Amino acid sequence: MVEPDGLRRFQAHRPRLFALAYRMLGSASEAEDAVQEIYLRWDGTDRGVIRSAEAWLTTAVVNLCRSWLLSARARRESYVGPWLPEPVPTAAGELGPLESVEERELVSLALLTAMERLSPVERAVFVLREAFGYAHREIADMLTLTEANSQQIFRRAGLRVREGRSRFDVPSDHARELIERFLKAARNGDVAALERMLATDATSTADGGGLVNTARRPIVGANNVARYLVGLFRWEVPGVEIVVRELNGSPAVVAWVAGNPLLVVDMDTAGDTVTALRLIVNPEKLAYLGRVGG
């Protein structure tokens, strides 16, 4: 076992390491595994030669996640239907402070999904610089790059991630009220009311992972999305409780049954309009949320 001082030092960094690994992998369960793996490496390392625990642990986590992303990409190419990140509750600071629009955007399911376009090194540079504020000199040391290369990779990654996307719309009481009205219309089977709240080119993307029957391709268009949602919420489940919770920095719909999450609906909003929905019903993607609660 790690001696008390070594354990204490590791535990002090654990929340930040999880937040880093989650942003790198888009998976809370894999992020937990990554942090545990680094703990074992920390246990087996001569810590007397480590000048900075933060630098050593950050470097170890980010490079482990880089290697895992290579195999994850191969798995996701054979994934059944669209792949979406695992939702994480954030109201209690589980992913660190989310006090600004930019901080909330960086953990949003929309941006994490877009980050799948990046190579492992692009994702590492983007996360370390944008989410954690490391200088390019520090990032270059961690990833064995030149400082100029780190800067170039960061610019390229930022363009690729935000290509064709509007800036994050700030979650607010108004956004929560809109989501609650949207949910009420869906449960009441009110297609017309839903359609009025949806952008003309609204999309709905569902992740069932082949374990739950869902649409295998994104549904496009206000009327198509409205009818799809009405059909979904017509499905009665005994004991279901549907609530609005903060996940990944913004309000989302969560359906619970006997203390277990059954469905998460994440929405992009612009003013009074819902522009995109992401539905997560894959039970493996909801396991972390079920363990920690919403």
Side-chain angles (χ1 to χ4, degrees), residues 42-156:
W42 174 256
D43 183 20
T45 297
D46 178 6
R47 290 180 296 281
V49 301
I50 295 175
R51 290 180 295 177
S52 167
E54 176 184 337
W56 190 95
L57 291 168
T58 300
T59 301
V61 166
V62 77
N63 282 298
L64 176 65
C65 290
R66 281 177 63 190
S67 65
W68 283 12
L69 280 171
L70 293 172
S71 58
R73 178 158 295 183
R75 293 196 306 273
R76 289 167 193 177
E77 286 176 357
S78 60
Y79 193 79
V80 178
W83 184 94
L84 293 173
E86 291 183 20
V88 171
T90 50
E94 290 86 346
L95 293 178
L98 301 177
E99 298 169 354
S100 68
V101 177
E102 291 77 13
E103 288 170 337
R104 289 179 178 273
E105 180 192 30
L106 289 168
V107 296
S108 68
L109 293 181
L111 194 73
L112 289 171
T113 303
M115 285 169 64
E116 289 295 301
R117 304 171 188 168
L118 304 180
S119 69
V121 70
E122 286 174 332
R123 190 159 182 161
V125 171
F126 183 81
V127 168
L128 287 169
R129 177 63 179 164
E130 190 88 332
F132 291 87
Y134 282 100
H136 283 292
R137 175 181 49 78
E138 297 172 299
I139 296 171
D141 289 342
M142 290 181 200
L143 304 180
T144 319
L145 303 168
T146 66
E147 188 172 348
N149 197 12
S150 177
Q151 293 170 338
Q152 183 182 37
I153 290 170
F154 176 69
R155 285 193 295 270
R156 183 172 66 238

Side-chain angles (χ1 to χ4, degrees), residues 18 27-33 86-87 89 256 259-261 283-294:
F18 173 79
S27 166
S29 54
E30 289 179 5
E32 287 184 314
D33 291 343
E86 291 183 20
W256 296 86
N260 296 308
E284 294 178 352
K285 295 284 184 76
L286 301 173
Y288 178 82
L289 179 60
R291 289 199 306 274
V292 302

Side-chain angles (χ1 to χ4, degrees), residues 251-275:
V253 175
V254 186
W256 296 86
V257 176
N260 296 308
L262 186 69
L263 163 72
V264 165
V265 182
D266 175 70
M267 302 184 192
D268 290 348
T269 62
D272 290 323
T273 305
V274 175
T275 58

